[in-house]
């Protein structure tokens, strides 16, 4: 009999353990202000032991977003929770609405933005997990960075922007 292929076993005890992590909906965001531009760290690389990172992004009206880029080590997925998020799939911009999903494998060109007059909200999933919190928190400091410092920051965080 043939069985479906599963990933390599990482838990080796014969009994389960209590290890779940719960986060309430009213937990304040780690970055920004709830109801505006905000980032919620739902599951970080540390929380998931490197398996994935999951973030809830709140975008104010006309918030814009990052330019077209790709990652060499992580995939990125987007799930729209509310509003309209413009997602770039490497070929065209798509007005994604509540319930729409986009998966971008390593090397895939992508971008996102909120160009609408209304707030928008989405989930971003990175796999495997990466220290994206350091990336999100470091973006503000780039305003005063040299071109060399900016380039080093993006390479260190696996973000390769295209013109």
């Amino acid at each position: 009999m043939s069985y479906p292929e599963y990933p390599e076993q990482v838990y080796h005890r014969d009994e389960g353990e209590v290890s779940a992590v719960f986060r309430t909906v009213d937990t304040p965001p780690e970055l920004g202000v709830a109801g505006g531009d905000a980032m919620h760290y739902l599951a970080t690389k540390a929380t998931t032991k490197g398996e994935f990172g999951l973030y809830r992004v709140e975008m104010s009206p006309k918030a814009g977003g990052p330019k077209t880029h790709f990652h060499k080590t992580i995939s990125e997925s987007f799930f729209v929770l509310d509003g309209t998020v413009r997602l770039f799939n490497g070929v065209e911009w798509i007005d994604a609405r509540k319930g729409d999903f986009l998966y971008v494998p390593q090397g895939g060109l992508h971008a996102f933005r909120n160009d609408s007059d209304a707030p928008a909200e989405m989930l971003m999933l990175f796999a495997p997990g990466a220290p994206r919190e350091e990336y999100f928190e470091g973006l503000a400091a780039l305003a005063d960075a040299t071109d060399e410092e900016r380039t080093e920051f993006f390479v260190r965080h696996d973000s390769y922007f295209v013109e």
Side-chain angles (χ1 to χ4, degrees):
M1 174 183 240
S2 162
Y3 292 101
E5 190 174 317
Y6 276 80
E8 183 179 332
Q9 181 178 340
V10 297
Y11 186 80
H12 299 282
R13 295 176 53 194
D14 290 331
E15 64 281 332
E17 67 182 16
V18 176
S19 55
V21 176
F22 178 73
R23 180 182 168 109
T24 63
V25 70
D26 58 352
T27 301
E30 279 72 13
L31 284 178
V33 179
D37 292 320
M39 181 73 66
H40 299 261
Y41 299 167
L42 303 180
T44 64
K45 174 184 178 180
T47 306
T48 68
K49 298 178 183 163
E51 292 181 23
F52 66 92
L54 182 65
Y55 305 85
R56 182 167 57 113
V57 182
E58 294 181 72
M59 294 176 281
S60 59
K62 303 282 188 197
K67 295 181 187 220
T68 302
H69 63 284
F70 64 96
H71 308 290
K72 294 182 178 182
T73 64
I74 53 178
S75 66
E76 189 169 358
S77 297
F78 304 89
F79 182 80
V80 179
L81 296 170
D82 200 18
T84 301
V85 178
R86 288 188 54 82
L87 299 174
F88 183 64
N89 67 3
V91 175
E92 64 183 337
W93 285 94
I94 302 162
D95 286 329
R97 298 179 320 259
K98 182 178 180 176
D100 288 343
F101 174 78
L102 175 67
Y103 166 71
V104 183
Q106 292 90 337
L109 294 170
H110 63 284
F112 67 88
R113 54 189 313 109
N114 181 9
D115 290 339
S116 76
D117 293 325
E121 189 172 346
M122 69 178 175
L123 293 176
M124 283 193 319
L125 174 75
F126 296 95
R132 296 309 279 176
E133 310 79 54
E134 184 181 309
Y135 172 79
F136 298 133
E137 293 168 12
L139 285 174
L142 291 181
D144 298 325
T146 65
D147 287 345
E148 185 176 281
E149 291 169 330
R150 188 175 284 108
T151 298
E152 189 276 330
F153 176 84
F154 288 127
V155 168
R156 184 179 38 174
H157 290 289
D158 188 28
S159 294
Y160 301 88
F161 290 85
V162 298
E163 296 301 317

